[in-house]
């Protein structure tokens, strides 16, 4: 197996991306190479103050002690830490429910990326957090601050639930992070 390049905030050991004592299992082979977009190298890790991964994509034991599917990646960060948009796009929806809590959905072409458990408030089609204001239909840039880490919805501590879907199918954000790292590394190795 080829050596896996990693993001600056982590290091690789076998098939695991390890950071701050948490490990995220990475698929050893791409099940959907067609989804590995070379443009992902331009993506931005969404949490500015990374503390670790608290729940991976896939099966897990949920807060109620019941087996469940987890459709994203939970990234621990200090309360109030800035959250950046992974990729530029348009605010598709704002969320206010008991599971996600306060959240924002950004559409980037055929991708939707969801950011849950935010601080702030939602009123109608607008999300606000301090001076930050996002409205459904508003364009956002890659890396733009789109929210702050909170504890809204079903959560046991401050973190971001980050989920990505492609044409309505949930993808493993860990695989996308790996693709970002590989794409950046291969670009740096070119003459």
């Amino acid at each position: 197996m080829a050596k896996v390049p990693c993001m600056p905030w982590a290091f690789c050991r076998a098939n695991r991306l390890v950071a701050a004592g948490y490990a995220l299992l990475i698929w050893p082979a791409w099940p959907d190479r067609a989804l590995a977009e070379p443009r992902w190298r331009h993506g931005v890790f969404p949490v500015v103050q990374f503390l670790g991964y608290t729940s991976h994509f896939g099966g897990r034991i949920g807060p109620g002690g019941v087996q469940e599917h987890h459709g994203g990646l939970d990234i621990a960060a200090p309360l109030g830490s800035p959250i950046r948009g992974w990729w530029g796009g348009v605010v598709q929806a704002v969320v206010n429910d008991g599971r996600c809590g306060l959240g924002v959905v950004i559409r980037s072409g055929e991708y939707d990326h969801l950011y849950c458990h935010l601080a702030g408030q939602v009123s109608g089609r607008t999300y606000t957090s301090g001076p930050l204001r996002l409205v459904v239909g508003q364009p956002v840039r890659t890396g733009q601050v789109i929210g702050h880490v909170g504890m809204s919805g079903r959560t046991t501590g401050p973190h971001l639930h980050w989920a990505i879907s492609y044409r309505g199918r949930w993808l493993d954000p860990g695989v996308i992070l790996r693709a970002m790292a590989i794409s950046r590394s291969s670009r740096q190795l070119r003459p």
Side-chain angles (χ1 to χ4, degrees):
M1 180 183 302
K3 187 174 180 181
V4 179
C6 288
M7 303 302 281
W9 38 261
F11 62 93
C12 286
R13 183 180 302 142
N15 287 338
R16 292 182 181 273
L17 181 65
V18 181
Y22 294 90
L24 170 66
L25 186 61
I26 294 179
W27 296 354
W30 284 99
D32 274 321
R33 283 195 177 270
L35 295 179
E37 296 246 5
R39 297 180 295 166
W40 287 351
R41 75 175 162 267
H42 300 294
V44 173
F45 189 71
V47 174
V48 173
Q49 294 175 294
F50 176 80
L51 293 178
Y53 299 113
T54 56
S55 193
H56 64 282
F57 179 88
R60 72 169 187 180
I61 303 296
V66 177
Q67 180 73 24
E68 64 183 16
H69 176 75
H70 187 242
L73 179 64
D74 287 352
I75 306 168
L79 200 58
S81 298
I83 296 169
R84 300 178 295 189
W86 163 64
W87 225 3
V90 174
V91 177
Q92 182 70 24
V94 294
V95 179
N96 185 2
D97 68 28
R99 191 169 178 94
C100 175
L102 303 180
V104 174
V105 179
I106 297 175
R107 174 151 297 159
S108 303
E110 295 182 282
Y111 293 89
D112 287 324
H113 27 122
L114 170 67
Y115 305 82
C116 290
H117 310 305
L118 306 182
Q121 59 186 12
V122 167
S123 177
R125 299 166 40 99
T126 304
Y127 164 76
T128 57
S129 179
L132 175 70
R133 182 174 185 263
L134 293 178
V135 179
V136 172
Q138 176 181 337
V140 294
R141 298 176 317 279
T142 300
Q144 177 180 333
V145 174
I146 58 166
H148 297 95
V149 172
M151 287 185 55
S152 59
R154 193 181 85 163
T155 180
T156 57
H159 73 281
L160 169 67
H161 173 84
W162 180 44
I164 302 169
S165 71
Y166 176 75
R167 296 182 179 174
R169 182 176 145 229
W170 294 109
L171 305 176
D172 182 342
V175 171
I176 290 170
L177 290 175
R178 181 177 184 216
M180 286 167 55
I182 289 169
S183 182
R184 287 176 180 157
S185 281
S186 63
R187 187 171 187 210
Q188 291 173 354
L189 296 175
R190 290 184 199 146

